[in-house]
């Protein structure tokens, strides 16, 4: 939810800040504990009150999180900003590293997706088998056998097309 507050608007309670920021009260309190948000004042009853600047900061934090920044990184960005030091070089460095990490993770996920699709295709041709001896699940063991190009002794030959490992290497 986007807030339409002006500087002249009255201070907000934790609940109102959370509502306008599209988060829960628990999130706001967590950010307060971490020093990411700061109350502008307190009521006589002890309620914390927040200015529109804190709502802006809350939106900033949520945007940074959606970009992949951790709360610790956001803390450092805010600290540098409060010290009147540009956090931009740090932000560029973090996002560049994160982009590389994300690409690596994506490659790993795509490789996993390929292995899973190959397993599904291989398993569609295999019968259900009851474990005998040391084997656990013939389907997974068939994948291990095909990856190793050698059938483990516990994988029934019928699950590997009835051929043993020496016949497979000869064909």
């Amino acid at each position: 939810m986007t807030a339409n507050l002006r500087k002249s608007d009255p201070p907000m309670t934790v609940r109102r800040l959370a509502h306008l920021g599209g988060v829960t009260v628990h999130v706001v309190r967590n950010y307060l504990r971490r020093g990411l948000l700061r109350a502008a004042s307190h009521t006589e009853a002890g309620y914390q009150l927040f200015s529109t600047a804190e709502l802006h900061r809350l939106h900033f934090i949520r945007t940074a999180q959606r970009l992949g920044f951790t709360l610790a990184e956001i803390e450092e960005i805010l600290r540098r900003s409060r010290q009147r030091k540009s956090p931009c070089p740090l932000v560029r460095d973090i996002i560049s590293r994160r982009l590389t990490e994300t690409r690596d993770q994506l490659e790993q996920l795509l490789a996993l997706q390929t292995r899973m699709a190959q397993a599904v295709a291989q398993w569609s041709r295999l019968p259900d088998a009851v474990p005998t001896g040391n084997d656990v699940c013939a389907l997974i063991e068939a994948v291990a056998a095909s990856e190793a190009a050698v059938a483990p002794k516990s994988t029934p030959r019928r699950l590997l097309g009835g051929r043993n490992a020496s016949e497979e290497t000869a064909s």
Side-chain angles (χ1 to χ4, degrees):
M1 175 183 294
T2 307
N4 294 323
L5 293 176
R6 298 172 307 276
K7 288 210 182 250
S8 61
D9 287 332
M12 296 167 275
T13 62
V14 168
R15 184 172 308 283
R16 178 99 172 117
L17 178 65
H19 175 74
L20 292 173
V23 297
T24 66
V25 170
H26 298 291
V27 169
V28 170
R29 289 193 177 122
N30 180 39
Y31 293 173
L32 284 165
R33 276 191 299 276
R34 295 186 74 123
L36 294 168
L37 295 174
R38 295 179 180 169
S41 62
H42 293 78
T43 66
E44 289 180 20
Y47 288 102
Q48 294 174 309
L49 297 175
F50 301 90
S51 68
T52 56
E54 291 309 296
L55 179 60
H56 176 73
R57 186 173 307 266
L58 177 58
H59 286 300
F60 171 85
I61 294 165
R62 300 305 283 179
T63 300
Q65 286 183 303
R66 285 192 305 275
L67 284 169
F69 289 90
T70 65
L71 288 179
E73 291 164 340
I74 295 167
E75 287 172 9
E76 178 61 19
I77 292 164
L78 292 173
R79 186 185 66 74
R80 288 186 185 200
S81 179
R82 279 191 294 271
Q83 294 175 343
R84 297 276 194 224
K85 296 178 183 175
S86 175
C88 295
L90 174 66
V91 167
R92 285 186 191 100
D93 181 54
I94 291 171
I95 205 76
S96 293
R97 273 188 287 122
R98 194 68 35 76
L99 183 58
T100 300
E101 292 167 1
T102 303
R103 284 184 180 135
D104 292 345
Q105 291 171 346
L106 182 57
E107 287 175 15
Q108 292 171 8
L109 284 172
L110 289 171
L112 174 61
Q113 180 185 23
T114 299
R115 286 192 307 274
M116 292 168 78
Q118 290 168 344
V120 167
Q122 181 182 7
W123 294 346
S124 69
R125 298 184 301 270
L126 299 177
D128 293 342
V130 176
T132 58
N134 292 330
D135 59 330
V136 177
C137 176
L139 298 176
I140 294 173
E141 290 165 352
V143 170
S146 67
E147 287 177 351
V150 175
K153 295 185 187 308
S154 64
T155 303
R157 226 184 252 173
R158 72 181 188 286
L159 293 177
L160 299 173
R163 298 184 301 182
N164 65 28
S166 61
E167 291 171 336
E168 284 185 14
T169 56
S171 54

